[in-house]
Amino acid sequence: MIVINPSSSALNFILQAAHTSAAGSMQVAWRNITPATPAYIPESIVIASNGTTSVNLISTPAAGTYSLVDYISYLNNDTGSQQISVRVGSVVVQKVILGVGERLEYVEGKGWTT
């Protein structure tokens, strides 16, 4: 389980080099929960990578709120391989090299796959 809490900072995605011809595409789904009033609020985004600049996938939640990551997907749409890192705050939680057309996925309860 990947938990983003107010003290751990955001979930970020980083390409180690700029893409050659096409940006990769990402989808992220998560649930926000506040323990004081336990109701899950689903969230999701679809976003393109932007070269070597860090892409903020899930922002640091407000005080008393936690973000529980359900799904992360990154598809390498480029014409060459890409090295990517996924970070929670300053901690790298996944680092992989993807070939053309390969996908990195995180599914809650199953973990990471390529």
Side-chain angles (χ1 to χ4, degrees):
M1 175 182 296
I2 299 174
V3 178
I4 312 299
N5 64 55
S7 63
S8 69
S9 199
L11 177 71
N12 294 294
F13 177 89
I14 304 160
L15 285 176
Q16 301 303 316
H19 51 267
T20 305
S21 63
S25 55
M26 297 175 274
Q27 179 182 7
V28 182
W30 69 97
R31 295 167 283 150
N32 288 326
I33 185 168
T34 304
T37 54
Y40 287 104
I41 301 169
E43 304 274 350
S44 71
I45 62 167
V46 176
I47 191 169
S49 61
N50 63 0
T52 57
T53 305
S54 175
V55 175
N56 190 21
L57 300 176
I58 301 175
S59 298
T60 304
T65 301
Y66 298 84
S67 298
L68 308 175
V69 180
D70 293 314
Y71 182 73
I72 301 170
S73 174
Y74 176 79
L75 175 63
N76 179 7
N77 294 321
D78 205 0
T79 55
S81 61
Q82 295 179 338
Q83 181 176 334
I84 61 171
S85 298
V86 179
R87 285 191 327 214
V88 175
S90 61
V91 177
V92 175
V93 295
Q94 184 61 274
K95 190 173 195 176
V96 66
I97 297 174
L98 294 177
V100 176
E102 289 185 327
R103 177 185 308 274
L104 173 66
E105 284 187 322
Y106 170 82
V107 177
E108 170 57 34
K110 293 186 177 182
W112 295 96
T113 59
T114 53

